[in-house]
Amino acid sequence: TKSVIAGTKTHFARQMPEKIRVQGAHVVPDPTHTNLRFWFTPDSFAQDNTADDTPVIMWRNVAQLGVEANVQTLNAAPTQVERLRQPVTSKQPRYKKNVINGHGAVHFQRASTDGSSGQFLEIYHNDTATTTGFASNPFTTTAGSADNSFTIVLVARTTQSSSDTGEMGILRLAEILTSAGEGGMQLSKTCSQCISDGGTAPNCFQGKYGKLSTLNAGYGTTPAAGALDDGQQDYNDCADACTSGCNLNQIPAACKARWGPL
């Protein structure tokens, strides 16, 4: 298995920290694979000696860094030059050190309790451009055909405060961000809620959950009103089955059927 960016036995102008390049028995992705288009890892901030709690203005892509025309070189830029950026100070997430097994993380926080505003990053053409979106179609095969198929591996953890409601956004892919009928996909986590006299979310009394904290997905076109139609979403909070309260140790059959095999 090749290590991040450089490969175990090679030396490049820019390499990831040793702690992620040497993983022992753990298998790490091959950063030189021709089909790997993006890799955003918080270890890139460790590489740059970024201080703890620093606002994230730009998050660079390290997939295929040092690879040019499928050949490893010293100074080649990534195949995809796009970056994750956030030029607005109030919307910038923060880099935090030593969060997960000694590794850093990028921390996003809400600005409103209902999740309607807060911190986020968007794809930009490069580290200086003012244009959002992809500079070129990244979902092409090695033969050059645009089959638009892709796989996303995302590691995230959500934390709900007692006053939080609504959805905790995780990922949003849109055809055109400003379009009234945009196509794409979105992932979110439900904020749990308690029934009356059921305690304070997210720690409701046992058997007193009125809405469960679940992972939800939406697909297809978003109507102009902004909400997905029922047929376009996989929504799993089970609020309709928990009007009298749900016990986390005895999940209703209707919820299990909705979630599929556990």
Side-chain angles (χ1 to χ4, degrees):
T1 300
K2 297 180 181 178
S3 60
V4 177
I5 297 181
T8 306
K9 302 295 184 181
T10 56
H11 301 277
F12 286 86
R14 293 183 66 81
Q15 296 186 13
M16 295 299 290
E18 187 73 9
K19 66 181 180 181
I20 193 171
R21 290 194 293 113
V22 181
Q23 295 285 352
H26 298 286
V27 177
V28 296
D30 176 3
T32 65
H33 196 287
T34 55
N35 288 339
L36 182 63
R37 288 293 179 262
F38 296 96
W39 188 352
F40 296 101
T41 169
D43 286 284
S44 61
F45 297 109
Q47 177 190 20
D48 296 333
N49 296 316
T50 304
D52 185 49
D53 204 38
T54 296
V56 176
I57 301 174
M58 185 272 293
W59 195 352
R60 57 188 173 89
N61 175 27
V62 300
Q64 298 200 51
L65 186 61
V67 179
E68 189 172 54
N70 299 327
V71 176
Q72 291 188 336
T73 68
L74 284 176
N75 300 306
T79 300
Q80 297 295 142
V81 297
E82 294 89 344
R83 313 289 182 94
L84 286 171
R85 297 184 66 232
Q86 180 51 266
V88 181
T89 302
S90 62
K91 298 178 180 179
Q92 291 167 356
R94 308 186 84 85
Y95 166 66
K96 305 294 291 186
K97 287 187 172 182
N98 300 319
V99 174
I100 305 174
N101 297 328
H103 294 271
V106 177
H107 181 254
F108 299 82
Q109 189 169 352
R110 289 177 164 195
S112 57
T113 56
D114 64 357
S116 59
S117 61
Q119 299 168 344
F120 62 93
L121 296 170
E122 291 182 279
I123 285 283
Y124 275 74
H125 280 200
N126 54 53
D127 60 346
T128 59
T130 57
T131 305
T132 58
F134 297 113
S136 60
N137 186 354
F139 309 120
T140 58
T141 65
T142 53
S145 61
D147 59 6
N148 295 321
S149 62
F150 57 89
T151 299
I152 297 175
V153 178
L154 185 150
V155 179
R157 180 179 67 184
T158 59
T159 303
Q160 178 184 347
S161 298
S162 59
S163 59
D164 287 338
T165 61
E167 298 296 308
M168 295 176 278
I170 297 175
L171 175 69
R172 185 178 186 182
L173 301 176
E175 180 181 2
I176 303 175
L177 186 62
T178 57
S179 172
E182 64 198 49
M185 177 188 74
Q186 62 186 38
L187 297 176
S188 62
K189 187 76 173 291
T190 308
C191 287
S192 60
Q193 293 182 7
C194 311
I195 63 172
S196 179
D197 298 323
T200 303
N203 301 312
C204 307
F205 301 143
Q206 196 61 282
K208 300 294 185 178
Y209 283 86
K211 180 181 291 187
L212 305 179
S213 181
T214 57
L215 188 65
N216 313 298
Y219 313 92
T221 303
T222 303
L228 288 171
D229 294 333
D230 290 341
Q232 297 171 302
Q233 58 186 328
D234 178 20
Y235 203 78
N236 304 303
D237 69 2
C238 285
D240 55 342
C242 296
T243 55
S244 299
C246 277
N247 189 324
L248 294 182
N249 293 328
Q250 297 176 330
I251 300 296
C255 294
K256 289 184 178 181
R258 187 176 304 169
W259 297 345
L262 297 177

